[in-house]
Amino acid sequence: MIEEGSKRGKAMVEKRQLFMEMRAQNFDVIRLSTYRTACKLRFVQKRCNLHLVDVWNMIEAFRDNGLNTLDHTAEINVSRLETILSSIYYQLNKRLPTTHQINVEQSIGLLLNFMVATYDSEGHGKLTVFSMKSMLATMCGGKIVDKLRYVFSQISDSSGVMVFAKFDQFLREVLKLPTAVFEGPSFGYTEHSVRTCFPQQKKILLNTFLDVLMADPPPQCLVWLPLMHRLANVENVFHPVECSYCRSESMMGFRYRCQQCHGYQLCQSCFWRGHANGPHSNQHQMKEHSSWKSPAKKLSHAISKSLGCVPIGEPPHPVFPEQAERPQDQPHTIVLESPSRLDEEHRLIARYAARLAAEAGNSTQCPPTDLSFNFDANKQQRQLIAELENKNREILQEIQRLRLEHEQASQPTPEKAQHNPTLLAELRLLRHRKDELERRMSALQESRRELMVQLEGLMRLLKVGEDEEQKQAAQTGGSPHSSPSHGAGCSMPMPIRSTSAGSTPTHTPQDCLAGVGGDVLEAFAQGVPRNLRNDLLVAADSITNTMSSLVKELHSVDDAAEEEESHMRNGGGRDAE
């Protein structure tokens, strides 16, 4: 009995922990309920580490835990809910780098207690499947359009038309979130909530559903939902202008410009708290800005817009086919959109790796006694090495070009910048970005060296195999060309991939590894037909991963260099908006 009482006491403390931490943030000083609600829910999202779980990963977790086979009205107990949350967070830690691992047990406890307090206030110890799906799909990370598409797949019929009763149930569940953070009077559920979203009952398809819920402004009962996503996007946005109230020389997050007072701007902290001075009044209309553009950039954008180069009134979401979509948590219906398409180098290596894998599969079925078959495989492998070396030379040239651009971009700015606080703030930001760019360049060179280590390992592998094959041929008195596939070629040690810059061999040059290519070509020039399928499969797979990371890093450096060059061109003429 004593142990059970201590467990209950601990559970009560954990249940109150998240709410006590939220109260300590003093969000209630925010005068507008929409911003107040969005800030509170964003705090809960980040404190429970839900912002790290993409909506597609959440849908996959629903399917892996069998929730797609249950009816929406089915109930699950708290114990099974804890198991589902555990699988979500443990899978998240597998995707995160080792330096950014989260405290899984703490995240499970905080989220579990918040969900129970939100959806089981009467203490039955059970939640419906639809309650859990609605909450997790709303509070996880990802794009709002993807979340709304998933919600629509859950509340529409087989013909792709929204069922009003199901949408009403969704509003009941999702509006319990503002109530849980003590904003129920502003955004609690009412019987008229559905009609405020769709005033006229009609046939609601997917695109109409997205148009309404992603409109500007959205329905009043859900106005906090897109704002919560905008908050996530501007948390690290920098505005190099001065706040007209607190006189802070720079702003982070949102920036608000008065539509009546010329040049009057407020940071988000002052605007949220209702601060005003001078001729400005809280009754004036304010425009929210999520980014900062220099006057020169604004002028060029206005000219392009007037000439018809910039589209006006772009839709808030892509237009999707009107045919019915199956529920997105059903098997074989999730299509995870890759953040970037495979580059040419990655596709090339992947194609060769797949070919080697196919050849390895065929070798288990019939002995490779045909010498011409082995010779063709070796020829393809030599072509692969030659193409990789060509790509390496191109990467070296690109790195040199970027280095020259960085040196040009770091030239001193005009002297008038020394007397302008706005330009001084911009210069500090550019220095920070330049340091970050140099770190990326260093990481790019480390990735290139890892690629060269892989090529050297492949070369040594081939040379060792040739020596062993020649020894075996000398002992048996036969020709090395007639050695069977289960000889020395299958007993070679596999190459080990370098996992850090510290594991790079000391004989590898730091700035140029051009000599490796010649050795590799020389190793392949003998043209000895042999069976290296398994070994080269491992090496090709390792090179595939290395080249993929290298290409991504190179693209990241290109984007950062273009951004810095644009800032430097506009830096001399920038003034506070």
Side-chain angles (χ1 to χ4, degrees):
M1 295 294 293
I2 297 177
E3 183 178 358
E4 184 178 354
S6 63
K7 287 183 178 180
R8 290 180 178 177
K10 182 179 179 181
M12 291 297 296
V13 172
E14 291 179 348
K15 180 179 293 187
R16 292 193 297 265
Q17 178 183 352
L18 184 62
F19 295 100
M20 290 189 297
E21 292 181 4
M22 184 179 65
R23 287 185 181 275
Q25 299 295 318
N26 202 21
F27 291 122
D28 289 331
V29 301
I30 301 176
R31 64 188 182 96
L32 299 177
S33 60
T34 303
Y35 286 97
R36 193 168 58 242
T37 304
C39 287
K40 289 180 178 180
L41 291 176
R42 175 63 177 167
F43 172 80
V44 173
Q45 182 191 48
K46 295 182 67 175
R47 189 65 182 87
C48 297
N49 289 311
L50 277 175
H51 66 297
L52 301 176
V53 184
D54 189 84
V55 60
W56 298 112
N57 298 125
M58 189 65 73
I59 296 172
E60 184 179 5
F62 293 161
R63 189 180 71 247
D64 292 342
N65 286 276
L67 298 180
N68 58 311
T69 62
L70 299 178
D71 189 80
H72 284 173
T73 59
E75 294 183 334
I76 59 175
N77 55 33
V78 176
S79 177
R80 184 174 180 187
L81 175 60
E82 184 176 5
T83 301
I84 296 172
L85 298 182
S86 300
S87 68
I88 292 173
Y89 283 117
Y90 279 112
Q91 288 297 324
L92 171 63
N93 255 359
K94 291 181 181 180
R95 295 190 296 270
L96 294 175
T98 55
T99 55
H100 292 75
Q101 298 286 291
I102 65 170
N103 188 331
V104 173
E105 296 299 329
Q106 184 184 61
S107 301
I108 294 173
L110 291 174
L111 181 56
L112 180 65
N113 290 322
F114 179 75
M115 294 183 68
V116 171
T118 303
Y119 294 100
D120 187 31
S121 57
E122 298 180 359
H124 296 305
K126 293 182 179 181
L127 280 75
T128 65
V129 172
F130 192 62
S131 297
M132 189 189 66
K133 284 184 176 182
S134 300
M135 185 275 176
L136 292 177
T138 302
M139 294 293 291
C140 67
K143 298 179 180 179
I144 186 173
V145 63
D146 295 331
K147 295 182 180 182
L148 293 177
R149 285 182 62 195
Y150 172 71
V151 169
F152 187 82
S153 72
Q154 301 296 303
I155 63 174
S156 57
D157 58 20
S158 58
S159 60
V161 178
M162 187 189 76
V163 179
F164 276 85
K166 291 184 178 180
F167 178 66
D168 180 76
Q169 183 61 33
F170 168 72
L171 288 181
R172 289 177 184 269
E173 303 299 341
V174 78
L175 292 180
K176 289 179 182 178
L177 293 172
T179 303
V181 294
F182 315 107
E183 297 295 335
S186 301
F187 299 107
Y189 172 82
T190 65
E191 296 179 355
H192 306 288
S193 297
V194 175
R195 292 304 166 203
T196 61
C197 298
F198 302 99
Q200 299 177 356
Q201 185 173 359
K202 54 185 178 180
K203 184 178 180 181
I204 306 299
L205 300 176
L206 173 60
N207 290 308
T208 306
F209 180 79
L210 296 177
D211 289 339
V212 172
L213 268 64
M214 296 182 66
D216 186 17
Q220 180 59 32
C221 63
L222 294 174
V223 69
W224 52 269
L225 181 58
L227 179 57
M228 186 177 71
H229 287 78
R230 296 204 307 274
L231 279 173
N233 294 331
V234 302
E235 285 182 346
N236 299 316
V237 173
F238 175 78
H239 306 268
V241 293
E242 183 182 66
C243 177
S244 300
Y245 183 86
C246 67
R247 299 302 176 185
S248 175
E249 294 183 356
S250 58
M251 303 181 189
M252 294 293 292
F254 286 122
R255 172 171 56 91
Y256 298 88
R257 174 187 287 274
C258 181
Q259 301 299 289
Q260 299 182 30
C261 305
H262 177 70
Y264 192 91
Q265 300 187 85
L266 293 176
C267 63
Q268 69 176 21
S269 178
C270 292
F271 176 75
W272 289 356
R273 285 158 177 77
H275 295 326
N277 57 349
H280 178 70
S281 169
N282 287 332
Q283 304 302 319
H284 291 180
Q285 184 179 2
M286 302 288 285
K287 184 176 181 181
E288 178 186 281
H289 294 272
S290 58
S291 61
W292 184 83
K293 294 180 181 179
S294 65
K297 203 169 193 178
K298 285 184 176 180
L299 178 61
S300 63
H301 181 78
I303 295 175
S304 300
K305 189 174 182 180
S306 63
L307 295 177
C309 301
V310 178
I312 302 175
E314 294 182 356
H317 64 85
V319 178
F320 298 98
E322 293 294 355
Q323 60 265 26
E325 288 189 342
R326 293 179 57 189
Q328 296 180 9
D329 55 0
Q330 295 295 329
H332 311 295
T333 59
I334 294 183
V335 179
L336 299 179
E337 296 181 357
S338 175
S340 63
R341 294 183 180 276
L342 292 175
D343 296 285
E344 180 183 357
E345 295 87 348
H346 195 180
R347 290 197 300 267
L348 176 65
I349 299 175
R351 187 166 63 249
Y352 278 109
R355 184 179 299 175
L356 290 173
E359 294 175 359
N362 294 333
S363 64
T364 59
Q365 300 177 0
C366 57
T369 57
D370 190 358
L371 296 180
S372 62
F373 178 83
N374 292 333
F375 180 80
D376 291 339
N378 288 334
K379 182 178 179 181
Q380 295 171 359
Q381 292 148 13
R382 289 196 299 273
Q383 292 176 352
L384 171 61
I385 296 298
E387 291 173 358
L388 289 177
E389 289 178 338
N390 291 334
K391 293 301 179 183
N392 175 62
R393 284 192 292 269
E394 294 175 3
I395 291 171
L396 288 175
Q397 295 174 359
E398 188 69 9
I399 290 176
Q400 183 64 24
R401 183 185 67 81
L402 290 174
R403 184 180 289 114
L404 293 175
E405 291 181 358
H406 301 334
E407 293 175 356
Q408 296 174 359
S410 60
Q411 295 299 323
T413 55
E415 295 180 358
K416 63 180 180 180
Q418 301 177 1
H419 306 288
N420 191 325
T422 302
L423 293 180
L424 289 177
E426 183 68 5
L427 288 176
R428 286 194 294 268
L429 176 62
L430 288 176
R431 292 192 194 101
H432 176 72
R433 291 182 177 177
K434 182 176 179 295
D435 293 338
E436 182 180 358
L437 191 58
E438 289 176 352
R439 288 193 296 270
R440 290 184 180 179
M441 288 288 295
S442 177
L444 179 62
Q445 291 178 348
E446 295 292 347
S447 299
R448 182 176 60 84
R449 283 196 290 269
E450 285 192 7
L451 174 61
M452 292 300 97
V453 170
Q454 300 298 321
L455 293 176
E456 271 200 335
L458 181 59
M459 178 202 60
R460 290 196 300 270
L461 179 69
L462 294 175
K463 286 187 177 181
V464 170
E466 290 172 0
D467 294 339
E468 292 180 1
E469 194 171 87
Q470 291 175 359
K471 290 180 182 179
Q472 183 180 2
Q475 292 175 0
T476 57
S479 171
H481 295 272
S482 61
S483 58
S485 61
H486 52 77
C490 295
S491 60
M492 297 182 199
M494 295 296 179
I496 300 176
R497 181 185 178 188
S498 173
T499 58
S500 65
S503 61
T504 305
T506 57
H507 63 275
T508 301
Q510 295 299 318
D511 295 326
C512 182
L513 295 172
V516 174
D519 294 338
V520 174
L521 289 177
E522 181 181 355
F524 277 101
Q526 299 178 14
V528 179
R530 38 186 313 187
N531 183 13
L532 298 175
R533 298 183 190 90
N534 295 332
D535 300 333
L536 290 178
L537 177 60
V538 174
D541 182 68
S542 180
I543 295 173
T544 299
N545 296 331
T546 303
M547 283 297 294
S548 177
S549 301
L550 181 59
V551 170
K552 290 179 181 178
E553 286 295 328
L554 182 58
H555 285 178
S556 177
V557 171
D558 286 339
D559 294 340
E562 291 176 2
E563 181 181 1
E564 183 176 3
E565 182 181 357
S566 174
H567 276 280
M568 292 304 298
R569 285 199 302 267
N570 297 330
R574 287 184 175 175
D575 294 320
E577 288 185 279

